[in-house]
Amino acid sequence: MKGLFVTFEGIEGAGKSTQAKELYNYLKEQNPKVALTREPGGTDTGKKIREILLTPTEEVFPSLAELFLYEADRVLHVENKIKPLLEKGYIVISDRYIDSTLAYQGYARNIDKEVVKYLNKLATDNLTPDITFLIDIPVEEGLKRIREERGFDRIEQEDIDFHKKLREGFLKIAQEEKNRVVVIDGLNSPQEISAKIIKIFESRFKEYL
Ligand code: TYD
């Protein structure tokens, strides 16, 4: 059977990593061919790129440099990991993918969205997820969760306006791509959220269970 590509997206503190893991654990019980990965940092070289991106620095870090690094990480990820796994029939779950770049570098950092979309296409060789779960929470709640859990990295240090643009960006992407992107209310309990995600997954992709 052909592989299946699932992505999780959301603002900081939405709980998407937890949910990606939950879906992975659930699917793993019924299907050994499941893989969990993430961006940035889904490959060995990608891990180094991730470190560059997230380490606070005194230097100016222009948005374009950010964009190119995220896309470089993505090319490595798609070519070394995602595509080979899909070709072997795996369900591949990625914690973040193209929508993060459009939301962060496009909507929040104001890089021309058409440029971002074009680079996303180029970097992925047009590989679009079969389904994307957007875990949506209000900005204040997301930031509160991060503050309580672990403090902020370089990107999370941005002001509240940045995070608001980000959330709006994600919601706009969801509106524009209703068939692919499913918006999930991240304010419910983690158990309720994962039950909902599993239900949606089962209804759309029964044949993978
Ligand atoms: P993530 O791994 O979700 O962070 P954490 O483990 O701290 O939750 O993502 C790392 C950061 O990179 C996050 O702030 C979002 C940002 N990002 C972009 O700005 N553009 C992108 O294309 C991607 C994939 C991530």
Side-chain angles (χ1 to χ4, degrees):
M1 189 159 42
K2 188 180 141 293
L4 189 74
F5 188 25
V6 182
T7 60
F8 280 80
E9 300 280 4
I11 64 167
E12 321 284 339
K16 63 176 176 45
S17 305
T18 307
Q19 291 304 329
K21 226 173 279 165
E22 286 291 320
L23 181 64
Y24 170 79
N25 290 336
Y26 171 78
L27 292 174
K28 192 83 190 165
E29 282 171 16
Q30 9 221 338
N31 183 345
K33 284 184 160 184
V34 188
L36 178 61
T37 185
R38 73 162 170 188
E39 287 192 3
T43 61
D44 288 346
T45 309
K47 286 195 184 82
K48 296 179 197 160
I49 298 178
R50 178 182 174 91
E51 205 181 316
I52 297 173
L53 279 161
L54 299 186
T55 308
T57 168
E58 294 296 308
E59 268 180 350
V60 180
F61 206 129
S63 308
L64 271 182
E66 243 183 49
L67 174 65
F68 296 152
L69 285 168
Y70 282 114
E71 297 294 5
D73 171 75
R74 181 158 303 130
V75 179
L76 291 160
H77 194 204
V78 169
E79 291 305 319
N80 286 297
K81 200 165 176 185
I82 302 177
K83 262 196 199 163
L85 285 168
L86 290 175
E87 276 158 18
K88 283 188 213 148
Y90 271 71
I91 302 174
V92 178
I93 302 171
S94 185
D95 183 350
R96 294 197 187 281
Y97 190 59
I98 48 173
D99 301 319
S100 279
T101 319
L102 190 54
Y104 279 80
Q105 281 65 50
Y107 283 94
R109 296 268 199 232
N110 294 318
I111 298 176
D112 186 333
K113 292 179 214 28
E114 292 310 313
V115 170
V116 177
K117 284 185 191 172
Y118 177 72
L119 289 181
N120 275 345
K121 275 194 171 172
L122 196 63
T124 59
D125 195 17
N126 252 325
L127 177 68
T128 311
D130 294 291
I131 191 167
T132 297
F133 293 103
L134 169 61
I135 317 290
D136 178 56
I137 50 162
V139 167
E140 292 77 6
E141 175 64 22
L143 293 180
K144 190 176 127 228
R145 290 183 189 174
I146 296 174
R147 205 173 301 121
E148 285 165 3
E149 279 169 25
R150 57 175 164 79
F152 296 112
D153 66 30
R154 192 181 64 80
I155 288 166
E156 290 158 357
Q157 284 168 359
E158 294 292 335
D159 61 21
I160 193 118
D161 252 27
F162 174 87
H163 291 96
K164 288 203 163 135
K165 283 197 235 165
L166 200 55
R167 183 188 184 200
E168 280 159 24
F170 273 126
L171 290 173
K172 226 183 226 141
I173 296 168
Q175 250 175 22
E176 281 169 8
E177 291 194 64
K178 284 206 177 77
N179 288 336
R180 172 174 67 89
V181 184
V182 182
V183 183
I184 303 282
D185 183 351
L187 287 178
N188 291 319
S189 72
Q191 294 78 6
E192 280 170 318
I193 296 173
S194 67
K196 186 159 189 195
I197 289 171
I198 287 167
K199 210 167 147 202
I200 293 169
F201 184 95
E202 284 177 337
S203 72
R204 288 214 198 172
F205 307 112
K206 256 190 242 86
E207 66 276 22
Y208 285 85
L209 296 167

mmCIF file of all heavy atoms in Angstrom, residues 2-28:
data_model
loop_
_atom_site.group_PDB
_atom_site.id
_atom_site.type_symbol
_atom_site.label_atom_id
_atom_site.label_comp_id
_atom_site.label_asym_id
_atom_site.label_seq_id
_atom_site.Cartn_x
_atom_site.Cartn_y
_atom_site.Cartn_z
ATOM 1 N N LYS A 2 0.369 2.276 -0.640
ATOM 2 C CA LYS A 2 1.077 3.542 -0.726
ATOM 3 C C LYS A 2 1.192 4.158 0.679
ATOM 4 O O LYS A 2 0.312 3.987 1.513
ATOM 5 C CB LYS A 2 0.249 4.438 -1.641
ATOM 6 C CG LYS A 2 0.868 5.737 -2.028
ATOM 7 C CD LYS A 2 -0.136 6.464 -2.945
ATOM 8 C CE LYS A 2 -0.193 7.936 -2.688
ATOM 9 N NZ LYS A 2 -0.718 8.384 -1.416
ATOM 10 N N GLY A 3 2.273 4.908 0.925
ATOM 11 C CA GLY A 3 2.424 5.555 2.221
ATOM 12 C C GLY A 3 1.431 6.682 2.424
ATOM 13 O O GLY A 3 0.700 7.053 1.505
ATOM 14 N N LEU A 4 1.429 7.200 3.653
ATOM 15 C CA LEU A 4 0.501 8.280 3.992
ATOM 16 C C LEU A 4 1.284 9.340 4.760
ATOM 17 O O LEU A 4 2.077 9.012 5.641
ATOM 18 C CB LEU A 4 -0.596 7.696 4.880
ATOM 19 C CG LEU A 4 -1.794 8.582 5.179
ATOM 20 C CD1 LEU A 4 -2.680 8.686 3.940
ATOM 21 C CD2 LEU A 4 -2.601 7.969 6.321
ATOM 22 N N PHE A 5 1.039 10.586 4.417
ATOM 23 C CA PHE A 5 1.827 11.664 5.024
ATOM 24 C C PHE A 5 0.920 12.572 5.864
ATOM 25 O O PHE A 5 -0.002 13.191 5.343
ATOM 26 C CB PHE A 5 2.523 12.447 3.902
ATOM 27 C CG PHE A 5 3.518 13.473 4.367
ATOM 28 C CD1 PHE A 5 4.154 13.355 5.604
ATOM 29 C CD2 PHE A 5 3.842 14.557 3.563
ATOM 30 C CE1 PHE A 5 5.074 14.294 6.029
ATOM 31 C CE2 PHE A 5 4.763 15.504 3.975
ATOM 32 C CZ PHE A 5 5.380 15.368 5.220
ATOM 33 N N VAL A 6 1.224 12.604 7.173
ATOM 34 C CA VAL A 6 0.402 13.353 8.123
ATOM 35 C C VAL A 6 1.266 14.423 8.784
ATOM 36 O O VAL A 6 2.383 14.124 9.230
ATOM 37 C CB VAL A 6 -0.119 12.405 9.243
ATOM 38 C CG1 VAL A 6 -1.026 13.148 10.215
ATOM 39 C CG2 VAL A 6 -0.832 11.203 8.643
ATOM 40 N N THR A 7 0.782 15.651 8.861
ATOM 41 C CA THR A 7 1.573 16.673 9.564
ATOM 42 C C THR A 7 0.767 17.326 10.673
ATOM 43 O O THR A 7 -0.470 17.350 10.643
ATOM 44 C CB THR A 7 2.100 17.766 8.597
ATOM 45 O OG1 THR A 7 1.004 18.410 7.963
ATOM 46 C CG2 THR A 7 3.020 17.192 7.556
ATOM 47 N N PHE A 8 1.517 17.831 11.662
ATOM 48 C CA PHE A 8 0.936 18.574 12.778
ATOM 49 C C PHE A 8 1.489 19.985 12.756
ATOM 50 O O PHE A 8 2.691 20.186 12.570
ATOM 51 C CB PHE A 8 1.279 17.903 14.110
ATOM 52 C CG PHE A 8 0.393 16.724 14.418
ATOM 53 C CD1 PHE A 8 0.636 15.504 13.822
ATOM 54 C CD2 PHE A 8 -0.696 16.851 15.266
ATOM 55 C CE1 PHE A 8 -0.187 14.409 14.076
ATOM 56 C CE2 PHE A 8 -1.527 15.769 15.531
ATOM 57 C CZ PHE A 8 -1.271 14.539 14.929
ATOM 58 N N GLU A 9 0.612 20.959 12.969
ATOM 59 C CA GLU A 9 1.028 22.352 12.951
ATOM 60 C C GLU A 9 0.374 23.105 14.106
ATOM 61 O O GLU A 9 -0.634 22.657 14.653
ATOM 62 C CB GLU A 9 0.613 23.023 11.629
ATOM 63 C CG GLU A 9 1.205 22.400 10.376
ATOM 64 C CD GLU A 9 2.648 22.848 10.099
ATOM 65 O OE1 GLU A 9 3.238 23.593 10.927
ATOM 66 O OE2 GLU A 9 3.188 22.454 9.052
ATOM 67 N N GLY A 10 0.947 24.255 14.432
ATOM 68 C CA GLY A 10 0.346 25.081 15.472
ATOM 69 C C GLY A 10 1.341 26.083 16.018
ATOM 70 O O GLY A 10 2.538 25.981 15.738
ATOM 71 N N ILE A 11 0.826 27.047 16.772
ATOM 72 C CA ILE A 11 1.712 28.041 17.386
ATOM 73 C C ILE A 11 2.427 27.405 18.576
ATOM 74 O O ILE A 11 2.157 26.267 18.955
ATOM 75 C CB ILE A 11 0.947 29.310 17.833
ATOM 76 C CG1 ILE A 11 -0.074 28.983 18.935
ATOM 77 C CG2 ILE A 11 0.279 29.978 16.643
ATOM 78 C CD1 ILE A 11 -0.623 30.231 19.630
ATOM 79 N N GLU A 12 3.339 28.163 19.146
ATOM 80 C CA GLU A 12 4.116 27.668 20.294
ATOM 81 C C GLU A 12 3.171 27.319 21.452
ATOM 82 O O GLU A 12 2.259 28.069 21.754
ATOM 83 C CB GLU A 12 5.082 28.746 20.787
ATOM 84 C CG GLU A 12 5.749 29.571 19.699
ATOM 85 C CD GLU A 12 6.858 28.823 18.982
ATOM 86 O OE1 GLU A 12 7.362 27.853 19.564
ATOM 87 O OE2 GLU A 12 7.200 29.201 17.855
ATOM 88 N N GLY A 13 3.415 26.162 22.028
ATOM 89 C CA GLY A 13 2.642 25.793 23.217
ATOM 90 C C GLY A 13 1.267 25.212 22.928
ATOM 91 O O GLY A 13 0.474 24.983 23.838
ATOM 92 N N ALA A 14 0.976 24.941 21.643
ATOM 93 C CA ALA A 14 -0.360 24.426 21.298
ATOM 94 C C ALA A 14 -0.527 22.962 21.694
ATOM 95 O O ALA A 14 -1.648 22.472 21.850
ATOM 96 C CB ALA A 14 -0.610 24.589 19.798
ATOM 97 N N GLY A 15 0.584 22.278 21.861
ATOM 98 C CA GLY A 15 0.517 20.863 22.237
ATOM 99 C C GLY A 15 0.612 19.936 21.029
ATOM 100 O O GLY A 15 0.283 18.761 21.115
ATOM 101 N N LYS A 16 1.091 20.462 19.905
ATOM 102 C CA LYS A 16 1.121 19.631 18.691
ATOM 103 C C LYS A 16 2.116 18.480 18.792
ATOM 104 O O LYS A 16 1.862 17.402 18.269
ATOM 105 C CB LYS A 16 1.362 20.459 17.435
ATOM 106 C CG LYS A 16 2.677 21.099 17.505
ATOM 107 C CD LYS A 16 3.091 21.845 16.333
ATOM 108 C CE LYS A 16 4.408 22.487 16.692
ATOM 109 N NZ LYS A 16 5.423 21.666 17.392
ATOM 110 N N SER A 17 3.252 18.698 19.481
ATOM 111 C CA SER A 17 4.238 17.612 19.587
ATOM 112 C C SER A 17 3.665 16.451 20.404
ATOM 113 O O SER A 17 3.857 15.282 20.051
ATOM 114 C CB SER A 17 5.527 18.116 20.236
ATOM 115 O OG SER A 17 6.006 19.226 19.512
ATOM 116 N N THR A 18 2.976 16.787 21.471
ATOM 117 C CA THR A 18 2.318 15.763 22.292
ATOM 118 C C THR A 18 1.324 14.987 21.433
ATOM 119 O O THR A 18 1.266 13.752 21.471
ATOM 120 C CB THR A 18 1.523 16.434 23.442
ATOM 121 O OG1 THR A 18 2.407 17.297 24.131
ATOM 122 C CG2 THR A 18 0.931 15.426 24.401
ATOM 123 N N GLN A 19 0.563 15.708 20.637
ATOM 124 C CA GLN A 19 -0.470 15.056 19.834
ATOM 125 C C GLN A 19 0.134 14.223 18.701
ATOM 126 O O GLN A 19 -0.385 13.160 18.369
ATOM 127 C CB GLN A 19 -1.450 16.097 19.280
ATOM 128 C CG GLN A 19 -2.319 16.724 20.353
ATOM 129 C CD GLN A 19 -3.103 15.691 21.161
ATOM 130 O OE1 GLN A 19 -3.479 14.634 20.648
ATOM 131 N NE2 GLN A 19 -3.328 15.970 22.430
ATOM 132 N N ALA A 20 1.223 14.693 18.124
ATOM 133 C CA ALA A 20 1.884 13.917 17.073
ATOM 134 C C ALA A 20 2.348 12.580 17.667
ATOM 135 O O ALA A 20 2.184 11.518 17.068
ATOM 136 C CB ALA A 20 3.065 14.697 16.506
ATOM 137 N N LYS A 21 2.887 12.658 18.877
ATOM 138 C CA LYS A 21 3.370 11.459 19.556
ATOM 139 C C LYS A 21 2.215 10.502 19.893
ATOM 140 O O LYS A 21 2.324 9.298 19.744
ATOM 141 C CB LYS A 21 4.103 11.874 20.838
ATOM 142 C CG LYS A 21 5.419 11.169 21.018
ATOM 143 C CD LYS A 21 6.211 11.731 22.208
ATOM 144 C CE LYS A 21 6.953 13.005 21.837
ATOM 145 N NZ LYS A 21 7.440 13.785 22.992
ATOM 146 N N GLU A 22 1.118 11.088 20.364
ATOM 147 C CA GLU A 22 -0.055 10.264 20.704
ATOM 148 C C GLU A 22 -0.561 9.498 19.487
ATOM 149 O O GLU A 22 -0.869 8.312 19.577
ATOM 150 C CB GLU A 22 -1.188 11.161 21.227
ATOM 151 C CG GLU A 22 -0.971 11.695 22.634
ATOM 152 C CD GLU A 22 -1.048 10.599 23.682
ATOM 153 O OE1 GLU A 22 -1.910 9.719 23.551
ATOM 154 O OE2 GLU A 22 -0.234 10.633 24.626
ATOM 155 N N LEU A 23 -0.662 10.189 18.353
ATOM 156 C CA LEU A 23 -1.157 9.520 17.140
ATOM 157 C C LEU A 23 -0.159 8.434 16.721
ATOM 158 O O LEU A 23 -0.554 7.324 16.349
ATOM 159 C CB LEU A 23 -1.368 10.530 16.004
ATOM 160 C CG LEU A 23 -1.902 9.909 14.706
ATOM 161 C CD1 LEU A 23 -3.294 9.320 14.904
ATOM 162 C CD2 LEU A 23 -1.934 10.927 13.564
ATOM 163 N N TYR A 24 1.122 8.763 16.830
ATOM 164 C CA TYR A 24 2.152 7.785 16.492
ATOM 165 C C TYR A 24 1.998 6.525 17.354
ATOM 166 O O TYR A 24 1.971 5.404 16.849
ATOM 167 C CB TYR A 24 3.542 8.402 16.695
ATOM 168 C CG TYR A 24 4.663 7.407 16.609
ATOM 169 C CD1 TYR A 24 5.128 6.969 15.370
ATOM 170 C CD2 TYR A 24 5.253 6.889 17.764
ATOM 171 C CE1 TYR A 24 6.146 6.035 15.282
ATOM 172 C CE2 TYR A 24 6.270 5.958 17.687
ATOM 173 C CZ TYR A 24 6.714 5.531 16.445
ATOM 174 O OH TYR A 24 7.714 4.597 16.361
ATOM 175 N N ASN A 25 1.869 6.711 18.667
ATOM 176 C CA ASN A 25 1.750 5.561 19.570
ATOM 177 C C ASN A 25 0.521 4.721 19.256
ATOM 178 O O ASN A 25 0.566 3.493 19.258
ATOM 179 C CB ASN A 25 1.689 6.029 21.033
ATOM 180 C CG ASN A 25 3.029 6.573 21.497
ATOM 181 O OD1 ASN A 25 4.080 6.223 20.931
ATOM 182 N ND2 ASN A 25 3.009 7.450 22.495
ATOM 183 N N TYR A 26 -0.571 5.410 18.979
ATOM 184 C CA TYR A 26 -1.816 4.704 18.665
ATOM 185 C C TYR A 26 -1.662 3.865 17.384
ATOM 186 O O TYR A 26 -2.016 2.689 17.348
ATOM 187 C CB TYR A 26 -2.959 5.706 18.509
ATOM 188 C CG TYR A 26 -4.219 5.097 17.974
ATOM 189 C CD1 TYR A 26 -5.070 4.355 18.802
ATOM 190 C CD2 TYR A 26 -4.557 5.223 16.628
ATOM 191 C CE1 TYR A 26 -6.219 3.766 18.307
ATOM 192 C CE2 TYR A 26 -5.702 4.635 16.119
ATOM 193 C CZ TYR A 26 -6.530 3.910 16.961
ATOM 194 O OH TYR A 26 -7.648 3.327 16.450
ATOM 195 N N LEU A 27 -1.116 4.495 16.351
ATOM 196 C CA LEU A 27 -1.011 3.807 15.062
ATOM 197 C C LEU A 27 -0.016 2.654 15.128
ATOM 198 O O LEU A 27 -0.196 1.611 14.517
ATOM 199 C CB LEU A 27 -0.585 4.788 13.958
ATOM 200 C CG LEU A 27 -1.635 5.848 13.609
ATOM 201 C CD1 LEU A 27 -1.058 6.846 12.608
ATOM 202 C CD2 LEU A 27 -2.901 5.210 13.049
ATOM 203 N N LYS A 28 1.022 2.865 15.921
ATOM 204 C CA LYS A 28 2.089 1.867 16.052
ATOM 205 C C LYS A 28 1.539 0.537 16.592
ATOM 206 O O LYS A 28 2.034 -0.535 16.262
ATOM 207 C CB LYS A 28 3.158 2.432 16.988
ATOM 208 C CG LYS A 28 4.446 1.683 17.024
ATOM 209 C CD LYS A 28 5.351 2.100 15.880
ATOM 210 C CE LYS A 28 6.524 1.173 15.777
ATOM 211 N NZ LYS A 28 7.245 1.297 14.517
#
